């Protein structure tokens, strides 16, 4: 059942210089939704997120696994549970990583982007998405071709806004300038960002601010490392044990990192939060990102994460302590 007071626990903010408001958290469809996951559990997670005021659903053509099944899952939920709420949702998808074999199911050509979005819309049974992203820069395709395809997809009504993901600062500015000449604003950039992965602070935030581009972070908890789950060893169910993990491996869990996590956990307790809640609040602090993508394998994680908004500000002393703990991380 959909709650009538679902907006009470959530905060919203404008995406860059646009007029679009995003919930401070988005629910991500990567890994926990699709053909190898429980439909009922995924449905419970997604509806819990919506009832907590999370209106933003972040997907991609190749999410699952297998690729495409996360979008098929979302299509079922939209039809079964959220049919009357389409205009309260921000639904996104992406293209740019391998989706099907052959030369057109990957990267950033006009052919691949347009074909991919058409397929995504069919899987989700939608007429349009709210945001369509180019998932990663393709150095073998002229940037003008990729941006021209994005602009045409807006004009065709298949997406309301466009964004990019995993672009370097110089590439991001160039993409924005190409779209500006076509009368299209580059709405948002999606990138990896958390306490243990602060590379975007080396020029990326400056580029986004310069061009009025919104920001959304994935892996805000570094695949669970910024929680208490690794303080007593590596659980067998951890993604760090998965040799196919993209961003997180067993060798990343060093003794030095665990010591830092213990200190961060102590600071979080002083703030009346657990470590995950403090890490999420840190991402959303002043000078941080506009929105954060949450991954979840059970609904209780959503409920706990949303509570981080109850204490989302930091004193100068707290920020200094975090910086000192992290050191040269």
């Amino acid at each position: 059942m959909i709650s009538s007071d679902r907006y009470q626990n959530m905060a919203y903010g404008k995406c860059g210089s646009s007029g679009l408001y995003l919930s401070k958290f988005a629910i991500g469809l990567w890994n926990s939704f699709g053909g190898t996951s429980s439909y009922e559990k995924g449905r419970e997670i997604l509806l819990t997120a919506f009832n907590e005021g999370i209106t933003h659903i972040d997907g991609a053509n190749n999410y699952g696994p297998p690729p495409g099944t996360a979008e098929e899952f979302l299509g079922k939920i939209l039809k079964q549970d959220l049919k009357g709420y389409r205009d309260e949702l921000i639904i996104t998808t992406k293209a740019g990583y391998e989706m099907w074999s052959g030369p057109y199911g990957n990267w950033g050509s006009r052919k691949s982007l347009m074909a991919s979005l058409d397929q995504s819309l069919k899987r989700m049974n939608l007429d349009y998405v709210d945001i369509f992203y180019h998932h990663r820069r393709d150095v073998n395709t002229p940037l003008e071709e990729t941006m021209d395809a994005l602009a045409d997809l807006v004009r065709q009504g298949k997406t309301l806004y466009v964004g990019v993901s995993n672009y370097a600062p110089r590439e991001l500015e160039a993409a924005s300038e190409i779209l500006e000449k076509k009368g299209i604003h580059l709405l948002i950039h999606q990138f990896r960002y958390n306490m243990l992965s602060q590379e975007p602070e080396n020029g990326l935030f400056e580029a986004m601010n310069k061009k009025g581009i919104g920001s959304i972070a994935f892996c805000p908890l570094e695949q669970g490392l910024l929680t208490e789950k690794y303080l007593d060893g590596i659980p067998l169910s951890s993604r760090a044990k998965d040799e196919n993990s993209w961003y997180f491996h067993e060798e990343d869990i060093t003794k030095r990192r665990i010591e830092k996590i213990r200190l961060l956990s102590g600071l979080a307790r002083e703030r009346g939060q657990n470590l995950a809640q403090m890490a999420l609040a840190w991402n959303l602090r002043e000078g941080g990102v506009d929105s954060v993508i949450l991954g979840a394998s059970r609904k209780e994680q959503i409920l706990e994460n949303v509570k981080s908004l109850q204490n989302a500000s930091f004193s100068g002393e707290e920020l200094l302590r975090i910086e000192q703990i992290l050191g040269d991380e």
Side-chain angles (χ1 to χ4, degrees), residues 239-253:
R239 287 178 183 168
K241 294 282 189 181
D242 184 355
E243 62 182 16
N244 295 316
S245 175
W246 284 23
Y247 296 109
F248 188 42
H249 304 92
E250 193 166 353
E251 57 266 28
D252 294 322
I253 308 174

Side-chain angles (χ1 to χ4, degrees), residues 12-25:
Y12 303 85
K14 288 180 67 175
C15 182
S17 62
S18 77
L20 180 67
Y21 283 83
L22 296 180
S23 51
K24 287 296 181 179
F25 293 122

Side-chain angles (χ1 to χ4, degrees), residues 134-153:
H134 182 219
H135 211 160
R136 60 172 169 173
R137 175 74 176 100
D138 177 9
V139 297
N140 294 312
T141 297
L143 189 58
E144 290 81 0
E145 178 180 340
T146 300
M147 294 304 112
D148 188 58
L150 293 182
D152 280 351
L153 288 167

